[in-house]
Amino acid sequence: KQYYEQAFRFLEKVKQSKEKRILNADLLNYGGLIDWRKNNLKAAFDKFEKGLNIAKKENDQIRMVKFYMNISLINIEVGNYKAAILSLKESNKITNQIKHSFSEEKFTNYKSNINFNLGRAFEKAYGGNYSNPKLLDSAEHYYTKAILYSKNYQNTKLNSKMSLGNIYYMKNDLPNAEKVYYDVLLYSKENNLQPELFIASYNLGSLFFDIKDYDKSLYFFKKVDSIYQMNKVNDLYYVNSNYYLAKIYTIKNNPQEALKYSEKYFDKFEQIQSKLDNEVQEVNFRLGNVNVKKDMEELQAKNQNKIRFWNLMIFLFVGVLLVLIVLYKKSIKKKRETDRK
């Protein structure tokens, strides 16, 4: 921050020129990115907007593309999806118009990022308006385009594929969702990409749970658990995986294991309560808008009652067995006494 402010002080001493104004725009962009990473979104937006105005006045279309893209990131985060889509489409239009101003690498990089973020914006817009399935169609379109432009950009390609799988999942196109998730899973495994492997395993576990293939679902959620124990990858997905594991073991009539995972759920849930509150929309969306905590409490009570019932039955069985043994011994003793007579 000290050097950033110092750069502006030095810039003030420079004589007015096009170069000075462009440098000012670049500094605003850097500052906006710093604020964005610190989650100071208003300050970031203000810097990006000032930078965009300078770029427009100077007709610097390459910088206009950058600022439109960065402004869209802020709008996505604060839920202004319509504004984000407009910014990204403007960025995309300018990029196509000045295609020959970029190297091929830079052009495909911009196109992959623009299409990926358009996919994100449409997907998140659907999260706020479930009654409009066309938003999912648009998200699918842009994620598919992002994959085409991301051959040389591993992170964007994997994120786009994972997101495309989520779109298929939401559209109830489970065969295609499964194919995409497996594709990400195998690539992540081959390249030792633990965060991606973790999320792909979670998504497959969730998918198989929905189609009631509980053995496969159990396998993948146990994989989520084991990856988390080694790498502490993602608290939110880990908490939800324990929810599913408790449900699966309840369905399989294994209350001891169900209780174990419900306890793990509550232990971690309390640690990340504030994070869950902040991401409640995502939690509800991924779990079908259920009150997970309440469901887990009911599940835990049900399994505790089952265990108590089983313990009572064992106690009664042992008691009856002991009585039978005593009666048997008495009958043997009585028979021997009769035989002696």
Side-chain angles (χ1 to χ4, degrees):
K1 185 179 179 181
Q2 177 186 347
Y3 293 116
Y4 179 70
E5 291 173 352
Q6 196 173 39
F8 274 108
R9 286 197 293 271
F10 284 134
L11 187 62
E12 286 176 8
K13 298 174 183 177
V14 176
K15 187 179 177 181
Q16 277 295 338
S17 65
K18 181 181 177 71
E19 288 74 18
K20 177 181 178 177
R21 290 188 290 274
I22 293 299
L23 183 54
N24 187 27
D26 287 341
L27 286 173
L28 287 166
N29 190 46
Y30 294 140
L33 290 171
I34 291 166
D35 286 329
W36 174 61
R37 290 192 182 100
K38 289 180 176 179
N39 206 35
N40 191 352
L41 300 183
K42 185 181 183 305
F45 183 88
D46 289 344
K47 289 183 176 72
F48 291 146
E49 195 170 47
K50 287 177 185 175
L52 176 62
N53 288 332
I54 294 171
K56 283 180 176 178
K57 286 177 184 175
E58 300 300 328
N59 196 29
D60 190 320
Q61 291 180 302
I62 292 176
R63 284 176 173 80
M64 285 166 64
V65 169
K66 288 181 184 178
F67 281 115
Y68 274 125
M69 286 172 66
N70 291 339
I71 286 170
S72 73
L73 295 177
I74 306 297
N75 280 319
I76 289 173
E77 289 204 27
V78 300
N80 292 334
Y81 305 122
K82 188 174 180 179
I85 290 164
L86 288 173
S87 292
L88 286 162
K89 285 188 172 181
E90 188 64 26
S91 187
N92 195 41
K93 184 178 80 173
I94 297 169
T95 301
N96 290 335
Q97 288 172 348
I98 60 170
K99 176 179 178 179
H100 299 295
S101 301
F102 300 106
S103 65
E104 184 178 347
E105 182 183 359
K106 200 72 174 174
F107 177 75
T108 55
N109 185 19
Y110 277 178
K111 291 290 285 186
S112 68
N113 283 318
I114 290 168
N115 282 291
F116 173 69
N117 283 308
L118 274 165
R120 280 182 67 217
F122 277 108
E123 181 182 356
K124 286 182 175 288
Y126 175 75
N129 181 11
Y130 298 114
S131 62
N132 190 353
K134 288 183 180 179
L135 294 169
L136 286 183
D137 294 335
S138 296
E140 180 184 345
H141 170 75
Y142 286 112
Y143 282 138
T144 303
K145 289 189 77 172
I147 292 165
L148 292 174
Y149 284 110
S150 300
K151 290 178 182 177
N152 299 320
Y153 307 105
Q154 177 180 277
N155 287 342
T156 308
K157 186 176 182 179
L158 279 179
N159 288 332
S160 299
K161 279 193 171 185
M162 193 83 79
S163 298
L164 181 61
N166 293 342
I167 298 303
Y168 288 139
Y169 187 104
M170 287 180 256
K171 294 175 83 170
N172 208 32
D173 183 357
L174 300 185
N176 271 324
E178 182 181 343
K179 285 177 189 174
V180 174
Y181 289 152
Y182 265 120
D183 187 26
V184 174
L185 182 103
L186 292 173
Y187 185 88
S188 303
K189 192 173 182 180
E190 287 170 5
N191 293 276
N192 195 29
L193 303 171
Q194 293 298 305
E196 289 78 10
L197 181 61
F198 178 87
I199 294 172
S201 298
Y202 176 90
N203 288 342
L204 282 164
S206 180
L207 185 150
F208 286 122
F209 183 89
D210 279 0
I211 61 174
K212 296 181 169 50
D213 190 337
Y214 298 121
D215 289 332
K216 284 185 181 178
S217 183
L218 181 64
Y219 170 80
F220 284 110
F221 281 126
K222 293 278 278 183
K223 191 109 183 144
V224 169
D225 186 73
S226 63
I227 294 171
Y228 184 83
Q229 299 310 323
M230 290 186 292
N231 296 294
K232 300 292 183 290
V233 180
N234 184 306
D235 290 338
L236 190 59
Y237 281 85
Y238 173 68
V239 166
N240 291 344
S241 72
N242 285 314
Y243 164 79
Y244 280 116
L245 283 165
K247 293 278 283 186
I248 292 167
Y249 279 117
T250 299
I251 291 164
K252 286 178 168 288
N253 203 24
N254 187 338
Q256 287 92 346
E257 285 296 301
L259 192 59
K260 180 177 92 174
Y261 284 103
S262 66
E263 286 171 353
K264 287 175 78 171
Y265 170 88
F266 281 113
D267 287 346
K268 198 67 185 176
F269 184 92
E270 289 171 5
Q271 292 177 32
I272 64 165
Q273 178 70 59
S274 60
K275 186 176 181 181
L276 284 173
D277 288 341
N278 291 335
E279 301 184 43
V280 66
Q281 185 177 359
E282 180 182 348
V283 177
N284 289 339
F285 183 69
R286 296 293 293 142
L287 293 177
N289 293 309
V290 295
N291 188 332
V292 180
K293 187 170 184 288
K294 185 181 178 184
D295 196 12
M296 284 302 299
E297 286 168 348
E298 290 173 357
L299 203 64
Q300 191 175 48
K302 181 181 176 182
N303 284 300
Q304 283 171 339
N305 288 335
K306 270 189 183 179
I307 290 170
R308 289 191 194 104
F309 175 75
W310 283 14
N311 288 338
L312 178 61
M313 292 301 293
I314 290 167
F315 176 78
L316 291 172
F317 174 77
V318 171
V320 170
L321 187 62
L322 288 172
V323 168
L324 289 173
I325 290 169
V326 169
L327 291 174
Y328 175 74
K329 284 183 176 180
K330 280 185 177 180
S331 69
I332 293 293
K333 186 178 179 183
K334 191 173 182 181
K335 186 181 178 186
R336 285 174 181 170
E337 287 174 353
T338 303
D339 290 344
R340 285 193 195 108
K341 291 178 181 178

